[in-house]
Amino acid sequence: MTSTLIWIVVALVVVGLYLSWTAGRLDRLHARIDAARAALDAQLLRRASVAQELATSGVLDPAASIVLYEAAHAARQAEEEQREVAESELSQALRAIFGEPEQVEAVREAPGGEEAARELAQAVRRVPMARRFHNDSVRAARALRRHRKVRWFRLAGHAPFPMAFEMDDEPPVALADRAAS
């Protein structure tokens, strides 16, 4: 009788430890998502700020300046539920303005343009990387949350279901080439 009771207690302890380890892993994944989202937000803000600064610098022609400024301003001011659309529109505006290498060269030749072009190239290169890190963390957390043991024992607690950040983040070819050099 006592050996059976000991085996039951050992089994319960092992199951408890396993569930505790799984809950800790899930908690670490959620913390990684929060950190990746903060990094993504910082990169998106940096890209919008650099684009807005470039739009107001007088380096671009007036029509391009207005388009870029409005897209960057909308991306910075967007509410959370509209953020993906606003950031995608900024990507599209950047591709429309900097689709040709000649436009980037014209910016580089202006006073202060070399620095502005370099900053913008770095910003548009970092956004897809930050988004990929965030979405990879979300994918890992979702995969773990789909397991039965996590659902049955409610190991996720009250944490919201993680959502990926889906946007058009393809950089303009001319700026992507510039970032690589």
Side-chain angles (χ1 to χ4, degrees):
M1 176 69 177
T2 54
S3 69
T4 304
L5 189 58
I6 290 173
W7 281 112
I8 290 172
V9 169
V10 167
L12 287 175
V13 167
V14 167
V15 168
L17 286 173
Y18 178 71
L19 290 175
S20 175
W21 176 80
T22 303
R25 181 173 169 227
L26 189 57
D27 187 51
R28 287 188 303 275
L29 283 171
H30 281 281
R32 194 169 88 187
I33 289 170
D34 291 342
R37 181 58 189 244
L40 175 61
D41 286 341
Q43 292 305 321
L44 291 171
L45 180 63
R46 181 172 183 259
R47 181 181 76 155
S49 297
V50 170
Q52 215 170 15
E53 191 175 304
L54 185 61
T56 58
S57 68
V59 173
L60 299 173
D61 65 86
S65 292
I66 290 171
V67 168
L68 188 58
Y69 181 84
E70 286 180 354
H73 181 72
R76 289 183 72 174
Q77 301 298 322
E79 296 293 324
E80 190 60 36
E81 54 273 354
Q82 295 298 318
R83 183 97 186 265
E84 293 171 349
V85 173
E87 294 294 347
S88 293
E89 289 173 354
L90 177 56
S91 294
Q92 292 165 2
L94 286 167
R95 276 197 310 273
I97 294 167
F98 296 106
E100 299 297 323
E102 294 81 25
Q103 182 66 32
V104 176
E105 290 304 317
V107 169
R108 287 181 58 215
E109 291 169 1
E114 178 69 34
E115 178 70 19
R118 187 178 54 74
E119 280 186 47
L120 186 60
Q122 288 175 352
V124 299
R125 188 188 79 233
R126 289 178 179 162
V127 167
M129 288 188 294
R131 189 175 77 87
R132 194 172 316 120
F133 290 141
H134 175 266
N135 288 351
D136 287 347
S137 298
V138 166
R139 198 172 300 111
R142 282 180 168 182
L144 186 57
R145 286 183 71 150
R146 279 192 208 98
H147 290 200
R148 276 188 222 124
K149 65 181 174 275
V150 173
R151 290 192 320 263
W152 288 351
F153 292 102
R154 300 180 190 270
L155 299 181
H158 296 289
F161 194 74
M163 300 301 290
F165 195 85
E166 296 300 333
M167 64 172 273
D168 174 6
D169 61 2
E170 183 181 332
V173 175
L175 282 176
D177 292 344
R178 179 80 183 130
S181 58

mmCIF file of all heavy atoms in Angstrom, residues 5-22:
data_model
loop_
_atom_site.group_PDB
_atom_site.id
_atom_site.type_symbol
_atom_site.label_atom_id
_atom_site.label_comp_id
_atom_site.label_asym_id
_atom_site.label_seq_id
_atom_site.Cartn_x
_atom_site.Cartn_y
_atom_site.Cartn_z
ATOM 1 N N LEU A 5 1.396 4.229 -2.929
ATOM 2 C CA LEU A 5 1.198 5.641 -2.592
ATOM 3 C C LEU A 5 2.449 6.461 -2.943
ATOM 4 O O LEU A 5 2.342 7.568 -3.481
ATOM 5 C CB LEU A 5 0.865 5.779 -1.098
ATOM 6 C CG LEU A 5 0.428 7.163 -0.634
ATOM 7 C CD1 LEU A 5 -0.790 7.623 -1.405
ATOM 8 C CD2 LEU A 5 0.150 7.130 0.854
ATOM 9 N N ILE A 6 3.612 5.912 -2.685
ATOM 10 C CA ILE A 6 4.864 6.596 -3.014
ATOM 11 C C ILE A 6 4.974 6.772 -4.530
ATOM 12 O O ILE A 6 5.346 7.847 -5.013
ATOM 13 C CB ILE A 6 6.080 5.833 -2.441
ATOM 14 C CG1 ILE A 6 6.091 5.957 -0.926
ATOM 15 C CG2 ILE A 6 7.376 6.354 -3.042
ATOM 16 C CD1 ILE A 6 7.139 5.106 -0.233
ATOM 17 N N TRP A 7 4.640 5.740 -5.306
ATOM 18 C CA TRP A 7 4.707 5.849 -6.769
ATOM 19 C C TRP A 7 3.694 6.874 -7.287
ATOM 20 O O TRP A 7 3.990 7.603 -8.240
ATOM 21 C CB TRP A 7 4.477 4.491 -7.426
ATOM 22 C CG TRP A 7 5.709 3.637 -7.381
ATOM 23 C CD1 TRP A 7 5.899 2.499 -6.662
ATOM 24 C CD2 TRP A 7 6.929 3.881 -8.068
ATOM 25 N NE1 TRP A 7 7.161 2.009 -6.847
ATOM 26 C CE2 TRP A 7 7.826 2.848 -7.720
ATOM 27 C CE3 TRP A 7 7.373 4.869 -8.933
ATOM 28 C CZ2 TRP A 7 9.120 2.780 -8.209
ATOM 29 C CZ3 TRP A 7 8.655 4.793 -9.423
ATOM 30 C CH2 TRP A 7 9.519 3.768 -9.066
ATOM 31 N N ILE A 8 2.553 6.950 -6.693
ATOM 32 C CA ILE A 8 1.547 7.943 -7.104
ATOM 33 C C ILE A 8 2.062 9.353 -6.812
ATOM 34 O O ILE A 8 1.961 10.252 -7.652
ATOM 35 C CB ILE A 8 0.193 7.681 -6.404
ATOM 36 C CG1 ILE A 8 -0.446 6.409 -6.960
ATOM 37 C CG2 ILE A 8 -0.753 8.865 -6.585
ATOM 38 C CD1 ILE A 8 -1.683 5.963 -6.222
ATOM 39 N N VAL A 9 2.653 9.546 -5.638
ATOM 40 C CA VAL A 9 3.198 10.857 -5.277
ATOM 41 C C VAL A 9 4.354 11.232 -6.213
ATOM 42 O O VAL A 9 4.435 12.367 -6.686
ATOM 43 C CB VAL A 9 3.647 10.867 -3.789
ATOM 44 C CG1 VAL A 9 4.455 12.111 -3.467
ATOM 45 C CG2 VAL A 9 2.444 10.762 -2.877
ATOM 46 N N VAL A 10 5.230 10.273 -6.514
ATOM 47 C CA VAL A 10 6.348 10.531 -7.430
ATOM 48 C C VAL A 10 5.811 10.908 -8.812
ATOM 49 O O VAL A 10 6.300 11.848 -9.448
ATOM 50 C CB VAL A 10 7.289 9.312 -7.498
ATOM 51 C CG1 VAL A 10 8.255 9.426 -8.665
ATOM 52 C CG2 VAL A 10 8.045 9.149 -6.190
ATOM 53 N N ALA A 11 4.812 10.177 -9.286
ATOM 54 C CA ALA A 11 4.229 10.471 -10.597
ATOM 55 C C ALA A 11 3.601 11.872 -10.612
ATOM 56 O O ALA A 11 3.775 12.630 -11.581
ATOM 57 C CB ALA A 11 3.194 9.417 -10.968
ATOM 58 N N LEU A 12 2.892 12.228 -9.539
ATOM 59 C CA LEU A 12 2.287 13.553 -9.459
ATOM 60 C C LEU A 12 3.351 14.657 -9.419
ATOM 61 O O LEU A 12 3.189 15.707 -10.046
ATOM 62 C CB LEU A 12 1.376 13.654 -8.237
ATOM 63 C CG LEU A 12 0.055 12.894 -8.336
ATOM 64 C CD1 LEU A 12 -0.708 12.967 -7.013
ATOM 65 C CD2 LEU A 12 -0.790 13.430 -9.477
ATOM 66 N N VAL A 13 4.434 14.404 -8.712
ATOM 67 C CA VAL A 13 5.523 15.383 -8.646
ATOM 68 C C VAL A 13 6.163 15.548 -10.024
ATOM 69 O O VAL A 13 6.441 16.671 -10.463
ATOM 70 C CB VAL A 13 6.565 14.978 -7.577
ATOM 71 C CG1 VAL A 13 7.844 15.787 -7.714
ATOM 72 C CG2 VAL A 13 5.985 15.126 -6.185
ATOM 73 N N VAL A 14 6.392 14.434 -10.720
ATOM 74 C CA VAL A 14 6.992 14.514 -12.057
ATOM 75 C C VAL A 14 6.070 15.268 -13.013
ATOM 76 O O VAL A 14 6.518 16.137 -13.762
ATOM 77 C CB VAL A 14 7.335 13.099 -12.589
ATOM 78 C CG1 VAL A 14 7.668 13.125 -14.073
ATOM 79 C CG2 VAL A 14 8.471 12.502 -11.791
ATOM 80 N N VAL A 15 4.785 14.965 -12.973
ATOM 81 C CA VAL A 15 3.826 15.668 -13.839
ATOM 82 C C VAL A 15 3.780 17.145 -13.465
ATOM 83 O O VAL A 15 3.768 18.031 -14.331
ATOM 84 C CB VAL A 15 2.427 15.009 -13.750
ATOM 85 C CG1 VAL A 15 1.372 15.890 -14.403
ATOM 86 C CG2 VAL A 15 2.446 13.645 -14.402
ATOM 87 N N GLY A 16 3.782 17.434 -12.185
ATOM 88 C CA GLY A 16 3.778 18.826 -11.731
ATOM 89 C C GLY A 16 5.014 19.581 -12.186
ATOM 90 O O GLY A 16 4.927 20.740 -12.623
ATOM 91 N N LEU A 17 6.170 18.944 -12.093
ATOM 92 C CA LEU A 17 7.405 19.579 -12.554
ATOM 93 C C LEU A 17 7.374 19.822 -14.055
ATOM 94 O O LEU A 17 7.802 20.880 -14.538
ATOM 95 C CB LEU A 17 8.621 18.727 -12.177
ATOM 96 C CG LEU A 17 9.018 18.741 -10.700
ATOM 97 C CD1 LEU A 17 10.121 17.718 -10.441
ATOM 98 C CD2 LEU A 17 9.446 20.126 -10.278
ATOM 99 N N TYR A 18 6.869 18.847 -14.800
ATOM 100 C CA TYR A 18 6.783 18.998 -16.249
ATOM 101 C C TYR A 18 5.838 20.147 -16.614
ATOM 102 O O TYR A 18 6.152 20.976 -17.481
ATOM 103 C CB TYR A 18 6.319 17.692 -16.894
ATOM 104 C CG TYR A 18 6.163 17.795 -18.384
ATOM 105 C CD1 TYR A 18 7.286 17.907 -19.208
ATOM 106 C CD2 TYR A 18 4.910 17.814 -18.976
ATOM 107 C CE1 TYR A 18 7.155 18.021 -20.575
ATOM 108 C CE2 TYR A 18 4.765 17.929 -20.339
ATOM 109 C CZ TYR A 18 5.887 18.030 -21.141
ATOM 110 O OH TYR A 18 5.748 18.154 -22.500
ATOM 111 N N LEU A 19 4.697 20.217 -15.956
ATOM 112 C CA LEU A 19 3.750 21.306 -16.232
ATOM 113 C C LEU A 19 4.336 22.657 -15.830
ATOM 114 O O LEU A 19 4.144 23.658 -16.527
ATOM 115 C CB LEU A 19 2.420 21.046 -15.514
ATOM 116 C CG LEU A 19 1.584 19.887 -16.058
ATOM 117 C CD1 LEU A 19 0.355 19.673 -15.190
ATOM 118 C CD2 LEU A 19 1.200 20.121 -17.505
ATOM 119 N N SER A 20 5.053 22.671 -14.728
ATOM 120 C CA SER A 20 5.697 23.910 -14.282
ATOM 121 C C SER A 20 6.758 24.356 -15.291
ATOM 122 O O SER A 20 6.860 25.540 -15.618
ATOM 123 C CB SER A 20 6.326 23.701 -12.910
ATOM 124 O OG SER A 20 7.043 24.836 -12.522
ATOM 125 N N TRP A 21 7.539 23.409 -15.785
ATOM 126 C CA TRP A 21 8.558 23.723 -16.783
ATOM 127 C C TRP A 21 7.908 24.258 -18.059
ATOM 128 O O TRP A 21 8.379 25.232 -18.645
ATOM 129 C CB TRP A 21 9.388 22.475 -17.089
ATOM 130 C CG TRP A 21 10.394 22.691 -18.178
ATOM 131 C CD1 TRP A 21 11.609 23.278 -18.076
ATOM 132 C CD2 TRP A 21 10.221 22.340 -19.556
ATOM 133 N NE1 TRP A 21 12.227 23.308 -19.297
ATOM 134 C CE2 TRP A 21 11.395 22.734 -20.238
ATOM 135 C CE3 TRP A 21 9.205 21.717 -20.276
ATOM 136 C CZ2 TRP A 21 11.570 22.543 -21.589
ATOM 137 C CZ3 TRP A 21 9.387 21.520 -21.629
ATOM 138 C CH2 TRP A 21 10.556 21.936 -22.278
ATOM 139 N N THR A 22 6.802 23.639 -18.478
ATOM 140 C CA THR A 22 6.093 24.086 -19.683
ATOM 141 C C THR A 22 5.519 25.481 -19.485
ATOM 142 O O THR A 22 5.609 26.328 -20.386
ATOM 143 C CB THR A 22 4.976 23.089 -20.050
ATOM 144 O OG1 THR A 22 5.550 21.793 -20.225
ATOM 145 C CG2 THR A 22 4.268 23.497 -21.326
#
